[in-house]
Amino acid sequence: MAVTVTPLSGALGARIEGLNLRHLPHGDDLAALRRAFLDYQMVVFPGQKISAGDQIAFCELFGAADSDYKAPPQENDDYRKGVMLVSNVRKNGVPIGNLPDGDMQFHSDGAHRDSPYLATTLYAIRVPSEGGDTLFANLYAAYDALDDATKARIEGLRVHNAYILDATSRDEEAREGGTLREAEHPLVRRHSETGRKALYVNRLMSRYIVGLDEAERARLLDELIDQVERPEFIYAHKWTEGDFLMWDNRCVNHARTDFPAEETRLLRRYTISEAVSAAA
Ligand code: SIN
């Protein structure tokens, strides 16, 4: 079956059909997939039935495994370091994975690390009947839509990001007991493959713009965070079990909507790393 690529929205995203990810794509199929990933920034492969091992093997086509998350102990499977379950399922009251409940603010995975994640993959095993959508925001479009004066003003500036593992909102900044990880990155980030500029700022992690006085940096940060969350730059993905998604953290922020606590949400997440040198 031929691979087809169908755009999902005016903002970003494409659906890719004609691939069974239990088998690694190669040749023209892999080339089409790489092209779609760069062009559409987020790709969805519906109707997949893949193991953790399949997911890892697929990710290794794009880069190295790299995660701060350790897989919780699992039974009868091939989980290993780097695989993370995003789930509200609990065993004896303890979540079996990470990021269990409720909504989550926009962020880019790994923006709090010196070496952010190049891409993230999520595979839907169980999804609630409503809510729990993952929202994706196009950071190229957010940059392109800035006026020339703002583009000139922010060129060369850096943003300071901070994050406590498993936080889903800025309000958790004050939470005790978590380890705060911090990193600085260019506010205007040039994509290491496409060369395009993205507005690399997000509500969950970005704390201040380096080198500006307090009042100015707060005003500018608020303005830019609002810019990257403009509705026209966002695609909301409503999950179907069997969906496998991969998005490009170099040019995409993502967030999550709330969902009924009594329903099960279980996704398997695996990240792909980018070298420090490529992140600037
Ligand atoms: C994440 O931010 O990695 C999780 C997104 C989601 O649960 O939809």
Side-chain angles (χ1 to χ4, degrees):
M1 185 177 167
V3 172
T4 61
V5 178
T6 312
L8 286 168
S9 75
L12 84 177
R15 183 172 56 247
I16 301 192
E17 286 162 304
L19 286 175
N20 174 353
L21 298 184
R22 269 182 292 187
H23 308 291
L24 284 182
H26 58 274
D28 289 348
D29 286 352
L30 182 57
L33 196 165
R34 286 188 195 281
R35 192 66 262 155
F37 173 64
L38 292 178
D39 288 348
Y40 293 99
Q41 303 164 251
M42 187 281 280
V43 286
V44 183
F45 303 86
Q48 300 296 323
K49 213 173 169 124
I50 54 169
S51 67
D54 295 330
Q55 188 166 352
I56 291 168
F58 177 84
C59 289
E60 284 172 349
L61 293 171
F62 291 84
D66 185 4
S67 176
D68 286 328
Y69 292 92
K70 310 276 184 296
Q74 302 288 326
E75 295 152 18
N76 307 322
D77 57 31
D78 51 357
Y79 283 73
R80 58 178 153 109
K81 185 182 183 306
V83 172
M84 170 182 148
L85 293 180
V86 174
S87 186
N88 61 343
V89 174
R90 286 165 164 83
K91 269 193 188 155
N92 304 319
V94 180
I96 61 165
N98 297 87
L99 304 170
D101 306 311
D103 58 357
M104 186 171 191
Q105 291 178 328
F106 272 103
H107 60 286
S108 176
D109 288 334
H112 61 299
R113 299 165 25 120
D114 289 332
S115 175
Y117 302 118
L118 182 153
T120 302
T121 63
L122 263 187
Y123 172 61
I125 299 167
R126 291 282 303 279
V127 297
S129 60
E130 56 172 325
D133 302 342
T134 306
L135 312 180
F136 295 95
N138 182 338
L139 304 184
Y140 292 143
Y143 175 80
D144 291 344
L146 291 172
D147 59 54
D148 288 345
T150 308
K151 284 180 182 165
R153 184 172 169 219
I154 65 175
E155 190 67 37
L157 292 180
R158 294 176 72 79
V159 61
H160 186 99
N161 298 323
Y163 182 59
I164 298 179
L165 290 187
D166 255 4
T168 53
S169 90
R170 268 294 290 277
D171 302 339
E172 293 177 54
E173 193 175 349
R175 191 177 72 191
E176 285 177 23
T179 308
L180 191 71
R181 295 274 303 271
E182 299 176 78
E184 276 178 24
H185 294 290
L187 194 49
V188 179
R189 179 174 182 182
R190 200 177 271 286
H191 193 284
S192 51
E193 289 176 85
T194 65
R196 291 185 65 187
K197 289 179 175 178
L199 186 52
Y200 194 58
V201 67
N202 71 76
R203 190 172 298 278
L204 181 62
M205 298 168 171
S206 297
R207 298 288 194 265
Y208 59 86
I209 295 169
V210 181
L212 301 183
D213 73 49
E214 212 156 301
E216 196 194 353
R217 74 189 191 188
R219 205 171 35 245
L220 183 57
L221 187 65
D222 286 350
E223 198 184 296
L224 296 177
I225 287 174
D226 287 347
Q227 173 75 3
V228 292
E229 295 186 4
R230 277 169 48 179
E232 63 268 37
F233 305 142
I234 294 173
Y235 163 72
H237 187 71
K238 293 195 177 305
W239 290 93
T240 299
E241 289 170 9
D243 281 351
F244 177 69
L245 267 65
M246 176 168 70
W247 65 88
D248 189 335
N249 288 306
R250 297 167 290 188
C251 53
V252 173
N253 280 348
H254 63 286
R256 179 174 79 200
T257 64
D258 200 4
F259 58 97
E262 66 281 6
E263 292 195 36
T264 297
R265 190 173 189 272
L266 172 61
L267 301 106
R268 192 199 299 126
R269 178 184 184 270
Y270 197 74
T271 46
I272 302 164
S273 71
E274 174 162 56
V276 177
S277 58

